[in-house]
Amino acid sequence: MPLALVALLTVTLPAQDTGRLSIETAIRLAVERAPSLEAARQSLAGASGAVREARAQWYPQLAADGSLFRHEEPMVVAPIHGLNPGNLPQFDRTLVQGSLGLGWTLYDGGGRSGRVAQARALETAAEAQTESATQLLIAAAVRSYAEVLAAAEAVAAEERRREALQSESTRVGRFLREGRAAPLEQLRVNAAVASAEASRASALARAEVAEAALARLLGTPLEQTRAARLLPVRPAAGAALSRDSLLTLARARSPELQTAAARVTAARAAIRTAGATRFPSLRLDSRLVTYGSGSGDYSTEWQSGLRLAWPVFTGGARGASVDRARAAAAEAEATLRDLELALSNRVDQAIAALTESSRRMEALAAAVGHLTEAQRVEALALEQGAGTQTDFLRAAADLAEAQAAVAQARTGWIAARVELARLSGSLTPAVALAFVTTER
């Protein structure tokens, strides 16, 4: 697959740490172990078999069969080709018959070519579905990996907030014993500590869910997908393609559109197949037949000829079959048009998400810097008796929220970039890795 986006992106992949799970390994495991991709591969294998089956109708068919029957009354052992007093037919209760037949359909009104075209189109659709399943797995692995790291950063932010609040609680307790603080301050900081504990519990729950989801996706034990076992990643710098370029790529290479277009081709071929019954079919048949009885007396003869079949009247079944095929083709065409519209909408949504995440990362990074300094100043002011506890508590809560939001914005940026590559049909492991920088 052409890597159209790689040239626009930068990737830095340091040596992998022993015992830690990299995003590259996560992508590989997801693609190797996913049942959905195995199902898609088996569907492709079945579609390829259907092509071979349809093409086989172009060749002569050779078949052998035999029979052994025991009758209540004696029967003629072989066909009677003439009667005369000196050549009477043989009779026996046990009849043996074997034949070797060769048949070849010379003309069938285009039914075979229609079936072959339909099978080939469905094989193309299965190939596109396999590619779509692969790209979905790559996107899911990257997104799930980033979500685990973002959840871990949210937990870390809440832990830092709790530590800051516990320090404030210690300070208030000391001042309270010295008579320099009011009991209300102790109540207020205790409430803030409890709130931080609740927020941390929620963050831990989200982290556990994210880690479990990644473990299921990769087919690995949960311990291997803990945040501490993952190599951190950050968005990589690089310019994105324009909307028009992305839409052009999506319309030309999207696996979903390729699947729908192949199904349109298959449905149109089915119309030809259904209409082929309007014409006669011509078949060459030859047989070599051996007759015998339980006591022997074997004889062999050959048969050869042409067979013409023409369903002149079918009670409307032929017309109904053609109408049904045409309706299926019209449905497939409408589905393709609907997917094209939906794809354009998803591209717009992904571009908007990418733009929003980029702006949020920039703004929230600045906010974290300001809030970190604000919390430090508020803590010093409290220690010197010049600040207010309310301002400090608010600064601590705002800082934890901003730090978690930065991690979520990074995840959103990576997910949006990967989604754009998937929608444009360009997502491979190499492209996905180009969106992130791995940190030691």
Side-chain angles (χ1 to χ4, degrees):
M1 174 186 296
L3 306 182
L5 301 182
V6 172
L8 304 177
L9 300 163
T10 306
V11 59
T12 304
L13 294 177
Q16 184 172 326
D17 289 359
T18 303
R20 302 185 72 185
L21 180 66
S22 69
I23 191 169
E24 183 177 11
T25 302
I27 293 172
R28 178 178 57 80
L29 291 176
V31 172
E32 287 178 354
R33 300 178 178 180
S36 60
L37 185 55
E38 178 61 24
R41 288 170 179 155
Q42 295 305 319
S43 177
L44 174 57
S48 299
V51 172
R52 297 193 302 272
E53 181 181 1
R55 292 179 60 185
Q57 300 303 313
W58 287 101
Y59 301 99
Q61 307 294 315
L62 183 65
D65 64 72
S67 63
L68 173 64
F69 282 92
R70 180 73 173 173
H71 296 262
E72 181 180 4
E73 300 292 339
M75 297 291 293
V76 177
V77 173
I80 302 174
H81 300 295
L83 292 175
N84 58 71
N87 186 23
L88 296 176
Q90 298 178 357
F91 290 83
D92 200 298
R93 293 180 61 196
T94 301
L95 300 185
V96 180
Q97 181 175 330
S99 68
L100 182 66
L102 178 66
W104 191 4
T105 300
L106 303 177
Y107 178 73
D108 68 347
R112 286 177 299 187
S113 61
R115 284 188 289 273
V116 170
Q118 184 179 8
R120 285 176 175 167
L122 291 176
E123 182 184 33
T124 300
E127 290 173 350
Q129 282 185 311
T130 302
E131 179 63 22
S132 177
T134 301
Q135 295 195 28
L136 281 170
L137 284 170
I138 294 171
V142 173
R143 184 171 55 250
S144 185
Y145 191 99
E147 286 174 352
V148 170
L149 294 175
E153 290 194 41
V155 172
E158 292 298 338
E159 288 178 347
R160 288 191 293 269
R161 176 191 175 193
R162 184 183 61 174
E163 291 172 0
L165 293 176
Q166 287 175 341
S167 296
E168 169 62 8
S169 178
T170 301
R171 184 196 69 83
V172 170
R174 186 177 71 250
F175 280 14
L176 189 61
R177 289 190 300 272
E178 297 173 357
R180 298 166 54 190
L184 178 60
E185 293 183 60
Q186 186 68 66
L187 293 174
R188 190 183 294 125
V189 74
N190 288 344
V193 170
S195 177
E197 289 286 355
S199 297
R200 179 176 177 274
S202 297
L204 281 171
R206 290 192 295 271
E208 290 175 359
V209 170
E211 291 168 349
L214 180 61
R216 283 191 294 270
L217 180 63
L218 306 187
T220 61
L222 179 58
E223 291 305 316
Q224 294 184 14
T225 58
R226 297 294 187 188
R229 299 290 300 275
L230 306 187
L231 291 174
V233 295
R234 292 289 184 272
L241 294 176
S242 67
R243 177 181 182 275
D244 291 341
S245 298
L246 286 168
L247 286 175
T248 299
L249 281 173
R251 294 189 183 105
R253 291 162 46 182
S254 168
E256 293 180 1
L257 288 187
Q258 290 177 351
T259 300
R263 286 175 175 165
V264 169
T265 302
R268 290 171 178 170
I271 297 176
R272 298 201 305 272
T273 302
T277 57
R278 293 191 177 98
F279 304 95
S281 63
L282 184 63
R283 181 177 176 83
L284 172 65
D285 282 314
S286 298
R287 296 180 70 203
L288 189 65
V289 187
T290 297
Y291 304 96
S293 65
S295 58
D297 303 321
Y298 291 96
S299 63
T300 300
E301 64 179 48
W302 60 268
Q303 305 168 4
S304 184
L306 290 173
R307 178 177 299 171
L308 179 69
W310 192 359
V312 179
F313 178 72
T314 62
R318 178 169 50 202
S321 178
V322 172
D323 290 343
R324 179 161 54 87
R326 285 175 177 168
E331 179 185 2
E333 291 167 357
T335 300
L336 176 59
R337 292 194 300 271
D338 184 63
L339 282 175
E340 288 173 344
L341 295 175
L343 182 63
S344 297
N345 290 335
R346 292 201 295 270
V347 168
D348 289 339
Q349 292 168 0
I351 291 174
L354 182 64
T355 302
E356 177 189 1
S357 298
S358 298
R359 293 173 179 173
R360 281 177 57 81
M361 282 193 300
E362 182 179 353
L364 288 169
V368 166
H370 297 322
L371 288 169
T372 300
E373 180 62 17
Q375 179 179 293
R376 187 187 68 82
V377 171
E378 291 292 346
L380 288 175
L382 280 177
E383 188 67 28
Q384 297 173 4
T388 64
Q389 187 187 59
T390 302
D391 290 340
F392 172 78
L393 298 178
R394 183 182 300 112
D398 290 346
L399 176 58
E401 182 179 350
Q403 288 171 333
V406 168
Q408 288 297 327
R410 289 172 181 162
T411 299
W413 187 95
I414 294 172
R417 205 66 183 270
V418 167
E419 181 66 5
L420 279 175
R422 188 189 71 81
L423 292 173
S424 62
S426 304
L427 186 58
T428 65
V431 169
L433 292 173
F435 297 140
V436 298
T437 297
T438 303
E439 300 177 352
R440 295 294 296 252

